[in-house]
Amino acid sequence: MRESKQYSRRQLFTHFARPPVKQSRLVISNTCDNLYGYCESCVDSCSKQAITWCADQKPVIDTDKCNRCQQCIDACFISAITVADE
Ligand code: SF4
Ligand code: SF4
């Protein structure tokens, strides 16, 4: 006979009613052209002003401002920006 699994009210609430929300973040790889020359395409593409440009460094993405629209990914001509699950 097949056993049915029992769940407590707490398990039902925490596991089924509120499944974990997967957060994603953007990662800029070391192939970023701004490390070796000059590029700010991703900065220009961001309508949320979530990307800060710094000379000779990879741009920095403010995760609080970023809405994960991924326009910067499209703007990067060498595909240096990727999405990573947290
Ligand atoms: S995903 Fe959108 S909001 Fe986030 S940094 Fe890129 S362009 Fe800006
Ligand atoms: S568009 Fe790409 S190569 Fe240019 S600064 Fe942004 S991440 Fe670097």
Side-chain angles (χ1 to χ4, degrees):
M1 189 171 143
R2 198 170 150 202
E3 275 183 34
S4 64
K5 190 164 182 178
Q6 298 288 316
Y7 295 97
S8 69
R9 289 171 70 113
R10 178 181 292 274
Q11 283 175 316
L12 287 171
F13 181 74
T14 57
H15 183 71
F16 294 110
R18 293 192 307 169
V21 177
K22 268 201 166 181
Q23 287 284 347
S24 60
R25 65 191 166 88
L26 302 182
V27 176
I28 299 179
S29 78
N30 289 335
T31 60
C32 172
D33 210 37
N34 202 52
L35 287 170
Y36 316 103
Y38 174 83
C39 179
E40 58 176 354
S41 300
C42 55
V43 180
D44 291 341
S45 74
C46 181
S47 59
K48 296 290 180 187
Q49 285 83 46
I51 310 177
T52 303
W53 182 89
C54 306
D56 304 323
Q57 293 177 30
K58 294 186 285 186
V60 177
I61 299 173
D62 184 334
T63 51
D64 290 333
K65 289 183 181 175
C66 173
N67 67 356
R68 297 166 180 84
C69 69
Q70 301 191 18
Q71 284 178 2
C72 54
I73 291 177
D74 296 337
C76 181
F77 65 101
I78 57 165
S79 304
I81 309 174
T82 53
V83 179
D85 289 331
E86 286 190 335

